[in-house]
Amino acid sequence: MSEVIVITSGKGGVGKTTTTANLGVGLAMRGKKVVLIDTDTGLRNLDLLLGLENRIMYDLIDVTEGRVLYKKALVRHKKYESLFLLPTSQVRDKMAVNPEQLVKLCEEMREEYDYILIDCPAGIEQGFKTAIAGADCAIVVTMPEISAVRDADKIIGELGRAEKENIKLVVNRIRPQMVKKGDMLDMDDINDILSIKCIGQVPDDEMVVTSTNRGEPVVSNEGSQAGQAYRNIVGRICGEDIPFMEFPEEGFFTKLKRVFGH
Amino acid sequence: MKIKGSRSGLQLVFDDTADFPAIEQEIKEKLESGSNFFCRGTIIQTLPGRLQQTEKETLAKLFRQYGVILHTTIEGKSLEESVAAEKPEIQVPMQPTVQEMTVVDRTVRGGQEITSKGSVLICGNVNPGAQIIAGGSIDIRGTCRGIVHAGAYGDTKAFIIADHLMPMQIRIAGLIARSPDNVEKSSRAEKAFIKSGQIVIEPIER
Ligand SMILES: Nc1ncnc2c1ncn2[C@@H]1O[C@H](COP(=O)(O)OP(=O)(O)OP(=O)(O)O)[C@@H](O)[C@H]1O
Ligand SMILES: [Mg+2]
């Protein structure tokens, strides 16, 4: 019973790739067999987040154009043995893959893996259409600000048009202090507009950035708030009923960072 | 059973495994729930080939009691065309006059547009950046934050109703009103209409 999940957002830079990497590692930490497919052809960086750049031999385009079988192009994660990455090309563009090719690839992969996560490029053009084609469900990532929420709304509309009805929401980079002061949208505002099921609320956390630089997604960091938030999302994907965590006050938050950071 | 809103009306989509008595029961419950879900005058379409002729007649009869017309779409033709093509067969009962009404059973999201020569009923929200254009009136069972234009062909009697009416712009016939820069969420249903040459908004009961 495998599941193909596309991670998408509309607006760029809200955390699709970060979310894909963290959910992939999180699922693998639970022993699931996972493949991550980078479809952001030309702007790939999922490999960086996972610290796998130097191990890439073949890419998605080599697979879709029939030069190698997909298994040959997969890169196994150094630490989590059941996690694989199918990177994309740095030199080709989004037109190099079409939706039918991705559907076919996902169908083949279903036989071997529990979860196939697809990192989608920003925008609603060809790259988006290709990325969503083979997916059973979508995770829409947004940030608590008006333009990101508007774009998420559009993307949800586009997903509906493509008959993808199973859509979940992740709100990333929440800053509790700003929400409290009314300078950032709160969850009620966001749910009111998007009206889809929310499965994740991830705080803005500098450990996300430092761990990215080390190629070690934050989900494996016990002391990080964002890591906990990602672990909770993983649990919800696996069907567990986990309450949303409370964000502590800023004072406590920074103290935590000082104790556990680096 | 699934009900999909399309440009020209509602579409019933059945699961392949559902047997007819179950479908009939489900529709009956929906109609009887009095949720106003199917409004009088709504045109319902089903995909061809899914139902037997006798089953279709049973459903058509059931719907007719509630003033809803059932049509089977003919493959490759739009609803309007198939409605026209089927007319001789179906005896349209005279009691409820069928006026064209578009029913949309979902949230209309940013970038999406609903246009209709007749009136429009939205069972869901109209989000920022969405646009509803109707020759007649517009009724939104949800929050309206998009752009709404009623009486688009000049009908100054057209009106707009929403549970929470907070659109960016309201247009009725040739008049335009822009929202104030800070809109509070209204707690009651409201109606926008033209009164002495101006768009006014009044709370209503529903
Ligand atoms: N929760 C977070 N806290 C702090 N920084 C974050 C968080 N999530 C993401 N970031 C940072 O935001 C930036 C953008 O993230 P990411 O690359 O995942 O976005 P993206 O949606 O994949 O972007 P693109 O549209 O370019 O593909 C990165 O520098 C990342 O480290
Ligand atoms: Mg990315």
Side-chain angles (χ1 to χ4, degrees):
Chain A
M1 221 205 46
S2 65
E3 202 168 7
V4 182
I5 308 175
V6 62
I7 290 90
T8 180
S9 70
K11 190 175 162 70
V14 300
K16 293 178 291 299
T17 304
T18 305
T19 302
T20 310
N22 279 289
L23 298 187
V25 169
L27 286 163
M29 282 163 61
R30 288 179 170 238
K32 305 286 184 197
K33 283 190 85 180
V34 187
V35 182
L36 310 181
I37 308 179
D38 189 346
T39 64
D40 203 350
T41 305
L43 292 168
R44 74 166 193 218
N45 44 35
L46 190 50
D47 51 318
L48 290 178
L49 269 64
L50 295 163
L52 298 175
E53 190 185 18
N54 59 353
R55 303 181 183 213
I56 296 175
M57 303 291 188
Y58 301 100
D59 61 40
L60 174 67
I61 317 293
D62 292 320
V63 175
T64 54
E65 292 183 349
R67 281 184 291 278
V68 295
L69 293 174
Y70 83 81
K71 287 213 170 147
K72 207 160 174 196
L74 291 183
V75 184
R76 187 194 287 266
H77 194 271
K78 298 172 267 197
K79 192 157 159 198
Y80 307 100
E81 300 251 299
S82 64
L83 176 66
F84 297 84
L85 168 71
L86 178 55
T88 191
S89 161
Q90 199 64 286
V91 292
R92 301 289 294 274
D93 63 33
K94 311 275 189 295
M95 302 306 280
V97 195
N98 65 42
E100 294 73 38
Q101 289 168 326
L102 212 68
V103 171
K104 187 165 158 272
L105 178 62
C106 291
E107 286 312 312
E108 280 174 44
M109 287 178 163
R110 272 179 204 275
E111 293 176 10
E112 298 271 338
Y113 301 91
D114 301 317
Y115 290 94
I116 299 152
L117 307 187
I118 302 172
D119 182 18
C120 178
I124 50 176
E125 291 81 24
Q126 184 61 42
F128 163 76
K129 297 203 168 87
T130 300
I132 67 169
D136 306 317
C137 61
I139 293 178
V140 172
V141 182
T142 192
M143 283 183 6
E145 53 174 63
I146 286 178
S147 60
V149 171
R150 290 278 172 94
D151 288 359
D153 184 51
K154 262 204 172 139
I155 280 295
I156 297 165
E158 290 293 326
L159 286 164
R161 203 191 302 241
E163 316 224 314
K164 307 281 172 194
E165 309 285 354
N166 187 352
I167 311 174
K168 305 283 175 12
L169 182 70
V170 167
V171 181
N172 188 24
R173 309 198 69 165
I174 300 172
R175 294 168 70 175
Q177 288 303 308
M178 283 185 74
V179 173
K180 219 169 167 184
K181 277 193 278 173
D183 293 334
M184 207 176 228
L185 297 178
D186 67 17
M187 283 311 303
D188 289 343
D189 300 332
I190 296 170
N191 286 328
D192 197 24
I193 296 225
L194 298 181
S195 47
I196 57 172
K197 190 173 167 49
C198 181
I199 58 160
Q201 300 173 8
V202 184
D204 194 84
D205 182 346
E206 61 187 42
M207 281 192 215
V208 170
V209 183
T210 50
S211 61
T212 299
N213 294 340
R214 275 184 276 128
E216 271 267 344
V218 74
V219 66
S220 60
N221 184 334
E222 288 290 330
S224 151
Q225 284 259 314
Q228 182 61 50
Y230 282 120
R231 286 192 293 279
N232 290 350
I233 300 175
V234 168
R236 292 182 194 111
I237 290 176
C238 295
E240 292 164 18
D241 188 12
I242 302 171
F244 287 103
M245 61 196 212
E246 297 284 330
F247 297 130
E249 296 293 310
E250 196 98 301
F252 178 60
F253 198 17
T254 39
K255 218 185 298 159
L256 251 186
K257 266 190 210 156
R258 219 171 297 128
V259 178
F260 292 102
H262 315 293
Chain B
M1 185 187 69
K2 250 167 109 180
I3 300 164
K4 285 190 181 172
S6 76
R7 249 180 208 278
S8 41
L10 288 180
Q11 195 174 47
L12 297 185
V13 182
F14 311 113
D15 173 334
D16 276 339
T17 54
D19 61 340
F20 185 72
I23 292 174
E24 190 183 358
Q25 186 56 31
E26 202 176 331
I27 292 177
K28 211 170 182 166
E29 277 165 18
K30 277 231 157 71
L31 286 166
E32 278 169 4
S33 69
S35 63
N36 280 334
F37 188 77
F38 299 105
C39 309
R40 278 186 175 259
T42 303
I43 294 177
I44 305 261
Q45 41 182 330
T46 61
L47 290 178
R50 179 62 182 88
L51 294 174
Q52 315 236 320
Q53 191 57 34
T54 50
E55 295 175 341
K56 255 193 278 177
E57 278 161 15
T58 314
L59 283 191
K61 215 156 122 197
L62 183 62
F63 276 119
R64 213 173 293 159
Q65 289 168 9
Y66 293 84
V68 178
I69 310 298
L70 179 75
H71 279 296
T72 308
T73 323
I74 296 168
E75 201 106 52
K77 286 192 180 168
S78 72
L79 178 68
E80 287 80 9
E81 283 174 291
S82 32
V83 169
E86 271 193 26
K87 268 218 173 102
E89 268 175 56
I90 292 185
Q91 296 274 314
V92 181
M94 280 301 103
Q95 352 124 354
T97 41
V98 181
Q99 41 154 251
E100 200 182 315
M101 159 169 298
T102 303
V103 182
V104 179
D105 166 36
R106 59 176 162 83
T107 290
V108 187
R109 298 187 182 272
Q112 297 179 335
E113 189 184 65
I114 307 288
T115 50
S116 166
K117 289 200 187 76
S119 49
V120 175
L121 170 67
I122 313 273
C123 302
N125 296 344
V126 176
N127 279 355
Q131 205 164 315
I132 314 292
I133 301 172
S137 297
I138 299 171
D139 185 352
I140 296 161
R141 311 280 165 112
T143 304
C144 173
R145 292 191 179 85
I147 292 178
V148 277
H149 191 176
Y153 304 106
D155 179 3
T156 53
K157 294 259 175 343
F159 55 85
I160 297 161
I161 296 180
D163 289 348
H164 307 283
L165 188 61
M166 40 202 298
M168 288 190 258
Q169 262 188 21
I170 294 184
R171 301 182 184 207
I172 300 177
L175 296 179
I176 303 182
R178 184 176 66 82
S179 70
D181 284 330
N182 278 311
V183 259
E184 288 287 301
K185 189 162 183 170
S186 53
S187 51
R188 296 179 59 186
E190 289 177 314
K191 174 178 176 177
F193 57 100
I194 297 183
K195 194 171 172 181
S196 28
Q198 266 196 26
I199 296 180
V200 294
I201 296 177
E202 269 180 9
I204 54 159
E205 290 299 332
R206 52 164 163 205

